[in-house]
Amino acid sequence: MKTETRSNTNRIVRGILVVLSLLFFICVVIQVFLAGIATFVNYGNWELHTTFIHYFEFTPIIMLILSFFVRIPKKIRWDYAGLYLLIIMQYVTTQLTASAPFVAAIHPVIAMILFWRSLVTVKASKKLIQKNNYRS
């Protein structure tokens, strides 16, 4: 009975990790889209880009914390931590616009890496709930 309960808990937490990783990926895509709107449509919409991040910036930390409640590969935990580190780097680069504009220009490059790594994380997280993978 205890093993069955633990198995159900693992399944639920893994499902939550998949949903959160997918939502995070979608939010990254929306964030890039909002930057495009501000750049190509109307600069007045820049505030949408700068405020939208606050709705999902801590998602990788939540995923990292949840990952300690289930048995998953350490690589996936590192992926969650890495996503948050990339977000921090995004904040740092925006603060360097005046003092180090060439460093600040890395901001869109980090966004591309964030897109790529969040997609990789979605795929890795989905494997957590596929049959016969990462059994409890």
Side-chain angles (χ1 to χ4, degrees), residues 14-38:
R14 287 176 180 167
I16 291 169
L17 288 170
V18 172
V19 169
L20 288 176
S21 65
L22 185 58
L23 286 174
F24 183 79
F25 173 73
I26 291 168
C27 286
V28 168
V29 172
I30 292 169
Q31 184 73 351
V32 172
F33 176 70
L34 293 174
I37 288 174

Side-chain angles (χ1 to χ4, degrees), residues 6 10 14 67 69-73 77 128 134-136:
R6 184 174 177 96
N10 283 341
R14 287 176 180 167
S67 74
F69 292 97
V70 292
R71 288 175 38 197
I72 64 170
R77 282 197 185 109
L128 294 175
Y134 307 112
R135 291 194 171 192
S136 306

Side-chain angles (χ1 to χ4, degrees), residues 40-72:
F40 298 108
V41 177
N42 182 350
Y43 187 78
N45 291 319
W46 197 251
E47 188 176 336
L48 291 172
H49 174 74
T50 60
T51 58
F52 183 66
I53 182 62
H54 302 303
Y55 292 105
F56 69 97
E57 65 189 336
F58 295 111
T59 305
I61 292 294
I62 294 167
M63 291 187 296
L64 180 63
I65 292 168
L66 285 174
S67 74
F68 288 101
F69 292 97
V70 292
R71 288 175 38 197
I72 64 170

Side-chain angles (χ1 to χ4, degrees), residues 1-15 17 67 69-73 77 127-136:
M1 184 77 159
K2 194 173 187 178
T3 305
E4 185 178 318
T5 303
R6 184 174 177 96
S7 179
N8 287 339
T9 301
N10 283 341
R11 205 170 304 131
I12 290 167
V13 173
R14 287 176 180 167
L17 288 170
S67 74
F69 292 97
V70 292
R71 288 175 38 197
I72 64 170
R77 282 197 185 109
K127 287 182 181 178
L128 294 175
I129 59 171
Q130 289 176 341
K131 219 174 203 175
N132 300 323
N133 283 339
Y134 307 112
R135 291 194 171 192
S136 306

